[in-house]
Amino acid sequence: MASSSVSKKLYDAFISHRGPDVKETVAFALYESLEEMGFWTFLDDQELQLGDSIEPSLKNAIYYSSAQIAIFSPGYAESPWCLDELVDMLKTKVLFIPVFCDVDPSDLRYPDKGVYAPAFAKHQKKKRFSKERLQQWKAALHSSSLISGYKFNTSSDNVEMLCAKIVLAMQQGVGKPYVFPRHGEVAKHKEGLHSDAAASTSTSAQVKKSSLLPRDSRPVGLESKVKGMVELLKNPEVKFIAVVGMGGSGKTFLLQNVYKAVKRKYHHSVWLSISKSYSLKNLQRDIAADLDLTREIVNAEVTEKKAAELIHARLKGKKSLIVFDDLWAFFTEDNLIDNLGLPADRDCKVMISTRNEQVALDLSARIYKMEFLSDEESWRLFCAYAFPECEGNRAPPHVKEEGRKIVKQCGNLPLAIKTIAASLSNTRVLSKWALKRHELERVVAPSGEINPVMKILKLSYDSLPAHLKPCFAYLSFFPEDAEIKAEYLIYLWLGEGIVPAGEEQWDVAWDWLDQLAQLCLLQVYEDFEAFSFIDRHNLNKYCKIHDLLHDLAIQISKENKCAFSVEEVSTHTIAATGWCRILLAKKGVCVVKTISESHPVYLRTLSLSQNEITSIPTNLFTTMRGLRVLDLSSTKISTLPASVGKMILLKVLNLRDTDIGELPECVRHLKSLLYLALPNGCTQLPEWISELQCLQCLEGWHIDRMPKGISKLTSLRALRSSYAFSKEEVESIGLGGLANMTQLQELSLVITHEMQMKRIEQGTIAQLVKMRRLDILNDTCEETELLQLPENIITSMKHLESLRLGRFVVPSWICEFANLKELHLCYCECSDYPELQKMPNLVLLKLMENKSCRELPDAFGESGGFPQLRYLEIYDFPLLEEFPELEGGTMPCLENLVLEMCPKVRRVKGLEKLQRLQECSIEDVTQTFRRSYSGRILESVYGKKQDPCKIL
C-alpha cells in the first residue's frame, strides 16, 4: 500500500485542508488549477461519492498520490482528520508542498506556543486522543515547518499566482507536462488511469501574417459563375434566384462575390445569414441596421408586424437586393419573405443559398445549381493551398501523382480540397502524402452517404496537433455564421485554460489561431469593410468558420461531453453523466429554471448572450465555483446576483449591452478576472477596480470618472475608454502613472489641460513600448492652436498599428511608423503634408475636418504610392479645390474611396486608373465632378454607365 511507484498512482496530488478556513478560496482554486493542467487531484468533496467509507478512502488517496499538498490555516490543528492526514502524507516520502495560509512556519514549529496552542490545549483537555497520537501530530507539524513552501495571505495575495507557482512545482517535481483540460475522462479517473493527451509542441511565438487575408484570396473557377449570376439579376422577370448545392460546394462564397460586385447598383442591399434556425425579430433588427431603421424598430421595441410595415415602406419603390444565406426551409404558413416586409414587386431582388432544392421550388425561384469544380479547377485549388510558397503554386514532381489521387478522393468539393491541401502544406515527404490518401480512401468509401465532406473534415481534425484540438472544439461556443472577434476568442481560450500560462501566453495563443487559419479550419482577417466616421478603431482581426466546420466543432464537443445547449442538458442522458464544460442558451429560450435544476457539475463556460432574460435568481451561481467564463451580453438583466462573487476563478465577464447600472460590489471578489466588458449604463469605475490585479482588458466607452488607482492595473493590455481626465485628477492620478502600465497596448486620451501635455512631452507616453493602438485628442485650446507630438514616441512605439490624432501638427517623422496600418487625422494641419504615400503597410487613411487645406500634395498621386492602401476617406475639407492627379500604378490596392463635404473640388485626373476600386461614395461635391467622373468610375466597375445621383 505504501508503494511509491508512480505507475501505480491513482492521483497526481492530494490536498489536505480544513474546509471552513480555505475550502471556498485556496483549496478549490488549487484543485481547479491542477485539474485544468491535467493533474488528477484528490479534494474530499470533489472525489468522495455517496456511500464511500471516508477513512479508508482518504488513506488510499494519500498513499496512491504522487504528491502531497497541505494547506495550513489557523484552524488546521482543530481538525483531527487534518492532523491524521498530515502524519500519513509525510510517511509516503513523495513530493510534499506546504502552503502557509494566514499562518507562519514558526506556528507549526512550536505548536504549543503559536496559533495552534489553543487547539492542542483543547485536545488534551477532552482526553479523546492518546499522548502518543498528540505527539505524532506535533512532530508532523514540526517537520512540515522545515520544508520550503509558500506563504499566502487571503486578504492581500492573489490566489491565481499562488496556484500558478504550485502547478509549476508539480510539473517540475512530478514530471508531468501540460495536457489539455480533460474532456469526458470521468470513468478513467475513477479507475486510476491517466489521460494520454499529447503535450503542446508549439514553440513559435511569432504570429504569422500570411493567413490574415480578406475572405478568400485564392478563388478558382469563380469568374464564369459570378458572370452568370449577374446576368440573371439583370433579367426584369426574375425576382428570386436560388443557388442550390451540397454543403462545402462554395454557395456562400459565390454569393459573396456576386453581392460585392453588384450591391452598389441598388438603393438598399442587405445580407442575412439564416442557418438552421432563425428568429424573425432578430432578422428584422439586422435589416433595420442596414436600412437605417434602428431607432424606429430596435430602440422603439415595436411588434414584428409593425417592423414588417416599416421595412416595407422603406423598400417599396426602391431598387433593393436582399440575400438569404443558407436558408434551410420555407413554409407557406410561415412566409419569411412576407413577414419580413419585403415588397412583392420586381424592384426587390432576392438571392438565397440553400442545400434543399425544395426551398427554391417553394419560392418559384430561378435555380442556379452549384456545379462541382472540374478536375483541372480542383487541382489548381489544391495547389494554391498545398504549395503557397512555390512559384505559380506548382507542385513538386515527386508528390504530383499522389496529389492528383488525393484531389480525386475529395470529390471536387472546394471545402474538402482546401482543408486537406492545407493539412499537407508543411510536408513534402511522399510517405505522408500516401498515408493521407489511404486515410481518405478509407473515410470516403461507399457508405450510402451523398456528401462525404463531413468525414473528410473530421479527418482534418483528427490529424491536428493535440494542442489545437480543444482550440477548434471551443468554436462551438459561438452561434453559426457568427463574425468572431479574434481577441475575444483568445480570452475565452485563456479563461478555459486551453493555452498554458506563461509570459508568452498571448503570443502562443495568436500562433495557435494562425495555425488553425493556415489549416483552413477557420478564416482570420482584418475587417475594414464596415468602417465609419465615428469608429474609434477599425483595425480588428475577426474569425469566421464555415457552417460545416461549425457543425463539426459541435459534434466533437458533444462526443467529448463538453458543450451543450440548455435544452440538451435538461435531457436524461446528459443530466445523468453530469459532465459539461460549456453551456449555451439559445435565443428566446427560458433558461434559468433549466440551469438551476440541471446543476452541470463541471461547468466552465456559461453563455446567456442575446437571451431575453430580465433577471437571474440570487442563488444561481452558488454551485458554479469552477466557472471561468460568464457571458451575459445583450440580455435585459438589470442586477447581478451577489453569488457571482463566489466564482473566484472567473476570468471572463461580459456585461456589454445589459441594463445593469453601476458595476456591482460582488465583482470586487473576482481577483482572477482577465477580461471585463462593462455594461453601457456604467459611467463610473469604483475605487476597488484597482484590486483586480490580473485584469488585462477593460472595456467601457461611457466612463466619465476614473478612480485614483487605475494605474495600479499593471497587467492591463487594453483600456478602452475615451475618458478625459479633470485637472484635479491629473494631479491625483497623473499621466505619470501610465508609465507603470507597461503592458498597455491600447489607450485613448483626451488632453484637456496643459499639464497633461507637459507629461506627454516629458516622455510618459513614450514609455509604453508595447502600444499598438493610440488615440490622442487635443482639447486644450482653440482649433487654430495645434500641439506638437514628442519625437521620442517614434523610437519607442515600434509596434504601433493604429494612430488617431486630433488637433495636432502632423510631424514629418510620422512616416517612420513602419507597421502603421490605420491612420486618422482630425483637425490636423495637412498643408505641409508628410510623405504618407511611402508608408509600406498603411491600409486605411482618414483625413477629416480640415478647414484650411486647399490642395493635397502631388505626391499623393505618384506611381507606386500607398502600396497597401485599401480605404481612403476625405471628409469635410470645405476649401479643398485640387485633388492630385493620379498616375498609373498609384494606390494599386484601393477598394473604397469616400469623398464627402468637399464642395469646391472641381476636377480629379486619373481616377479611372484605380484598377481595384469597388466602392465609391462621393457626396457634397460639385455637380461637374459627379457627371464627369463618378459615372466613369461606376462604368469601369460595373460595366454600364450609371447615374451616380440615383445610386449614391
Side-chain angles (χ1 to χ4, degrees):
M1 189 173 184
S3 171
S4 60
S5 174
V6 175
S7 63
K8 296 181 180 180
K9 295 299 183 183
L10 177 61
Y11 295 99
D12 292 310
F14 179 93
I15 300 177
S16 173
H17 70 292
R18 185 173 183 269
D21 293 352
V22 296
K23 173 74 74 181
E24 299 295 330
T25 54
V26 180
F28 190 76
L30 181 56
Y31 171 82
E32 288 295 312
S33 297
L34 290 169
E35 286 280 299
E36 178 183 280
M37 300 303 287
F39 293 105
W40 305 125
T41 307
F42 186 96
L43 184 69
D44 50 15
D45 68 343
Q46 298 297 313
E47 302 300 329
L48 290 177
Q49 303 297 309
L50 187 65
D52 284 353
S53 180
I54 297 178
E55 186 173 4
S57 297
L58 291 174
K59 285 185 176 292
N60 279 337
I62 290 171
Y63 282 100
Y64 282 101
S65 292
S66 300
Q68 317 289 357
I69 302 173
I71 303 176
F72 297 107
S73 57
Y76 188 85
E78 295 177 17
S79 169
W81 289 97
C82 290
L83 294 169
D84 283 339
E85 288 173 2
L86 181 62
V87 172
D88 289 335
M89 291 163 71
L90 291 174
K91 288 180 181 179
T92 61
K93 305 298 182 182
V94 297
L95 176 66
F96 182 81
I97 302 175
V99 179
F100 306 105
C101 184
D102 297 327
V103 299
D104 192 85
S106 61
D107 292 318
L108 281 71
R109 195 169 299 128
Y110 307 106
D112 290 325
K113 297 180 181 180
V115 296
Y116 293 154
F120 276 98
K122 187 176 180 180
H123 293 322
Q124 290 174 340
K125 184 177 180 179
K126 288 188 175 182
K127 297 182 179 180
R128 291 179 54 196
F129 310 105
S130 66
K131 290 183 179 179
E132 290 78 9
R133 194 169 181 184
L134 290 173
Q135 190 58 39
Q136 279 184 328
W137 290 349
K138 293 178 182 179
L141 289 169
H142 185 274
S143 299
S144 300
S145 72
L146 303 177
I147 299 174
S148 177
Y150 302 96
K151 296 183 69 173
F152 182 77
N153 189 312
T154 54
S155 62
S156 59
D157 293 337
N158 185 281
V159 68
E160 192 83 8
M161 295 181 181
L162 172 69
C163 293
K165 292 177 182 177
I166 295 176
V167 166
L168 180 61
M170 284 287 296
Q171 290 173 330
Q172 295 173 344
V174 177
K176 186 171 183 177
Y178 168 81
V179 295
F180 308 110
R182 60 183 187 179
H183 300 312
E185 294 288 342
V186 177
K188 289 184 179 182
H189 185 193
K190 290 303 175 185
E191 295 169 6
L193 302 177
H194 296 287
S195 170
D196 292 327
S200 165
T201 57
S202 175
T203 58
S204 173
Q206 180 67 33
V207 181
K208 304 178 184 67
K209 300 298 181 184
S210 57
S211 66
L212 302 180
L213 302 172
R215 308 299 175 184
D216 193 328
S217 64
R218 290 167 280 192
V220 173
L222 189 69
E223 298 82 358
S224 61
K225 295 182 176 68
V226 172
K227 185 177 180 180
M229 288 284 292
V230 170
E231 290 301 316
L232 274 178
L233 284 171
K234 292 178 181 179
N235 189 334
E237 300 301 317
V238 175
K239 177 177 177 61
F240 296 101
I241 300 174
V243 180
V244 180
M246 66 173 60
S249 60
K251 300 183 300 297
T252 298
F253 187 44
L254 172 60
L255 279 187
Q256 284 175 344
N257 282 271
V258 174
Y259 181 75
K260 192 174 184 180
V262 304
K263 66 179 181 177
R264 295 298 293 181
K265 292 184 178 181
Y266 297 88
H267 289 97
H268 301 293
S269 52
V270 180
W271 180 286
L272 299 171
S273 296
I274 309 298
S275 69
K276 298 175 184 176
S277 60
Y278 62 85
S279 162
L280 180 61
K281 178 179 288 188
N282 287 319
L283 288 179
Q284 288 177 334
R285 291 184 174 190
D286 291 341
I287 294 177
D290 284 332
L291 301 184
D292 196 22
L293 285 172
T294 300
R295 180 180 302 175
E296 293 85 346
I297 293 179
V298 180
N299 297 345
E301 291 290 337
V302 300
T303 64
E304 293 175 357
K305 182 178 180 181
K306 180 62 176 177
E309 292 174 355
L310 291 169
I311 292 172
H312 187 275
R314 179 59 58 92
L315 294 177
K316 187 172 177 58
K318 304 283 184 65
K319 289 188 63 177
S320 307
L321 176 64
I322 315 295
V323 179
F324 294 94
D325 183 34
D326 207 10
L327 193 61
W328 283 71
F330 181 83
F331 304 101
T332 304
E333 61 270 19
D334 182 26
N335 192 325
L336 179 61
I337 305 299
D338 291 343
N339 288 339
L340 284 174
L342 303 186
D345 56 66
R346 302 289 178 178
D347 285 335
C348 181
K349 299 283 188 179
V350 177
M351 294 195 301
I352 70 169
S353 67
T354 181
R355 306 178 197 182
N356 184 356
E357 188 171 351
Q358 188 60 45
V359 173
L361 296 174
D362 289 343
L363 283 170
S364 299
R366 184 69 64 87
I367 297 176
Y368 186 95
K369 289 194 175 182
M370 198 68 193
E371 302 293 341
F372 291 148
L373 297 176
S374 67
D375 290 344
E376 193 55 36
E377 287 173 338
S378 297
W379 175 245
R380 283 169 49 207
L381 182 64
F382 179 86
C383 292
Y385 285 87
F387 316 111
E389 79 289 352
C390 298
E391 183 179 354
N393 302 138
R394 287 194 293 269
H398 72 288
V399 297
K400 190 172 182 178
E401 182 179 353
E402 283 292 345
R404 292 248 181 208
K405 293 178 181 178
I406 288 171
V407 170
K408 185 177 181 180
Q409 291 298 323
C410 291
N412 293 34
L413 286 167
L415 182 61
I417 292 171
K418 289 195 298 185
T419 54
I420 292 298
S423 69
L424 291 168
S425 64
N426 292 322
T427 179
R428 297 293 179 265
V429 179
L430 185 60
S431 59
K432 292 185 177 181
W433 283 59
L435 179 61
K436 181 70 71 175
R437 175 174 59 83
H438 290 311
E439 290 174 343
L440 278 168
E441 290 172 347
R442 174 175 51 83
V443 299
V444 301
S447 59
E449 292 186 20
I450 298 176
N451 186 357
V453 69
M454 282 297 287
K455 289 185 176 182
I456 297 175
L457 297 180
K458 181 63 164 58
L459 181 61
S460 295
Y461 167 81
D462 291 338
S463 64
L464 281 177
H467 62 277
L468 293 183
K469 288 184 176 180
C471 295
F472 175 79
Y474 204 85
L475 293 169
S476 60
F477 174 88
F478 298 93
E480 192 173 355
D481 295 316
E483 192 171 58
I484 306 165
K485 194 166 184 179
E487 182 197 53
Y488 188 50
L489 174 60
I490 286 179
Y491 273 117
L492 295 175
W493 286 353
L494 300 185
E496 272 276 348
I498 293 174
V499 183
E503 291 184 3
E504 296 184 347
Q505 188 178 42
W506 267 90
D507 292 324
V508 170
W510 277 111
D511 186 51
W512 289 6
L513 184 69
D514 187 70
Q515 288 180 43
L516 288 175
Q518 296 282 353
L519 293 169
C520 294
L521 294 176
L522 57 75
Q523 286 179 305
V524 181
Y525 56 92
E526 294 173 343
D527 188 9
F528 295 91
E529 295 183 0
F531 77 94
S532 68
F533 173 65
I534 61 173
D535 282 344
R536 290 280 173 199
H537 293 298
N538 300 300
L539 185 60
N540 288 312
K541 293 182 177 67
Y542 287 86
C543 309
K544 200 146 191 171
I545 180 171
H546 191 279
D547 52 1
L548 285 182
L549 287 165
H550 185 260
D551 290 343
L552 177 62
I554 294 174
Q555 174 187 323
I556 291 165
S557 294
K558 288 181 178 179
E559 288 174 355
N560 290 313
K561 299 181 182 178
C562 176
F564 302 96
S565 67
V566 172
E567 301 91 327
E568 292 169 319
V569 170
S570 64
T571 63
H572 173 74
T573 303
I574 297 172
T577 65
W579 186 267
C580 179
R581 293 184 66 92
I582 304 172
L583 187 58
L584 307 176
K586 295 179 180 178
K587 300 175 184 178
V589 175
C590 183
V591 300
V592 174
K593 183 179 178 182
T594 305
I595 297 174
S596 300
E597 293 175 351
S598 61
H599 294 298
V601 178
Y602 292 97
L603 194 61
R604 297 294 180 270
T605 294
L606 175 61
S607 172
L608 304 179
S609 179
Q610 301 186 47
N611 198 281
E612 296 183 359
I613 55 174
T614 56
S615 62
I616 297 177
T618 56
N619 63 344
L620 180 64
F621 300 114
T622 49
T623 60
M624 299 182 186
R625 297 178 302 171
L627 205 66
R628 303 303 179 91
V629 175
L630 179 58
D631 191 339
L632 300 174
S633 61
S634 301
T635 60
K636 297 182 178 180
I637 62 172
S638 57
T639 58
L640 201 62
S643 56
V644 168
K646 298 289 186 181
M647 301 185 296
I648 60 172
L649 301 178
L650 198 68
K651 294 188 177 182
V652 175
L653 179 59
N654 192 344
L655 303 176
R656 187 185 296 109
D657 296 327
T658 61
D659 293 336
I660 297 173
E662 296 182 356
L663 193 64
E665 180 79 13
C666 60
V667 178
R668 181 177 194 169
H669 305 292
L670 307 179
K671 308 294 187 184
S672 299
L673 270 187
L674 299 176
Y675 175 95
L676 175 59
L678 301 173
N680 294 349
C682 183
T683 58
Q684 295 185 356
L685 287 175
E687 297 292 334
W688 50 257
I689 196 73
S690 61
E691 298 176 16
L692 305 181
Q693 292 290 300
C694 293
L695 205 60
Q696 295 184 12
C697 180
L698 179 60
E699 290 189 358
W701 288 110
H702 305 281
I703 300 299
D704 58 20
R705 191 186 75 82
M706 285 285 180
K708 293 182 180 180
I710 192 68
S711 60
K712 294 180 181 179
L713 297 178
T714 54
S715 298
L716 209 61
R717 297 168 59 90
L719 178 57
R720 296 188 179 133
S721 173
S722 55
Y723 173 68
F725 291 89
S726 67
K727 183 175 182 180
E728 292 74 18
E729 287 170 327
V730 172
E731 296 173 351
S732 60
I733 305 171
L735 283 177
L738 291 174
N740 300 324
M741 304 169 74
T742 55
Q743 301 301 312
L744 208 58
Q745 296 185 10
E746 294 184 38
L747 179 65
S748 296
L749 285 178
V750 180
I751 309 298
T752 57
H753 297 276
E754 293 181 4
M755 187 182 304
Q756 290 177 300
M757 195 60 217
K758 290 180 180 178
R759 289 282 193 182
I760 291 180
E761 291 173 351
Q762 291 168 2
T764 297
I765 300 296
Q767 296 182 50
L768 306 178
V769 297
K770 295 186 177 181
M771 190 64 63
R772 292 184 180 273
R773 301 177 184 176
L774 178 63
D775 287 2
I776 307 182
L777 174 61
N778 163 29
D779 198 24
T780 63
C781 52
E782 299 296 329
E783 292 185 15
T784 55
E785 298 181 35
L786 304 180
L787 297 180
Q788 296 273 358
L789 278 177
E791 190 170 352
N792 56 4
I793 289 181
I794 184 64
T795 59
S796 60
M797 297 185 183
K798 296 181 179 179
H799 303 292
L800 198 67
E801 295 181 2
S802 175
L803 177 63
R804 185 173 186 262
L805 297 178
R807 295 198 181 110
F808 279 86
V809 174
V810 181
S812 59
W813 45 261
I814 198 172
C815 305
E816 298 179 30
F817 282 116
N819 292 316
L820 203 67
K821 296 182 179 180
E822 180 183 17
L823 179 60
H824 304 238
L825 300 176
C826 311
Y827 309 105
C828 291
E829 177 58 56
C830 300
S831 56
D832 297 323
Y833 220 62
E835 297 180 328
L836 297 183
Q837 74 279 359
K838 293 184 178 181
M839 299 182 75
N841 292 302
L842 194 63
V843 176
L844 182 147
L845 175 62
K846 290 188 179 182
L847 309 178
M848 294 172 282
E849 302 192 51
N850 188 302
K851 307 300 182 182
S852 61
C853 181
R854 295 181 179 275
E855 62 180 10
L856 295 172
D858 291 339
F860 266 39
E862 290 180 354
S863 179
F866 296 108
Q868 297 297 326
L869 194 67
R870 289 163 50 194
Y871 298 90
L872 173 62
E873 178 177 346
I874 301 175
Y875 177 86
D876 196 7
F877 275 49
L879 301 182
L880 183 65
E881 297 178 354
E882 295 293 334
F883 201 92
E885 181 178 354
L886 301 177
E887 300 177 358
T890 188
M891 305 184 196
C893 298
L894 194 69
E895 298 175 1
N896 195 308
L897 173 64
V898 177
L899 186 62
E900 297 184 2
M901 296 182 67
C902 305
K904 292 191 174 183
V905 173
R906 293 193 178 94
R907 59 175 184 157
V908 175
K909 293 183 179 180
L911 202 58
E912 67 282 356
K913 297 176 183 177
L914 301 177
Q915 298 298 318
R916 297 184 63 178
L917 190 65
Q918 296 173 357
E919 296 187 24
C920 183
S921 177
I922 302 175
E923 299 178 2
D924 291 337
V925 293
T926 61
Q927 190 64 28
T928 301
F929 177 77
R930 287 184 182 275
R931 287 196 302 267
S932 300
Y933 294 94
S934 288
R936 288 166 59 185
I937 288 294
L938 295 169
E939 179 181 0
S940 67
V941 175
Y942 304 124
K944 182 178 179 181
K945 190 168 183 177
Q946 303 288 334
D947 183 350
C949 296
K950 292 182 179 180
I951 295 175
L952 303 175

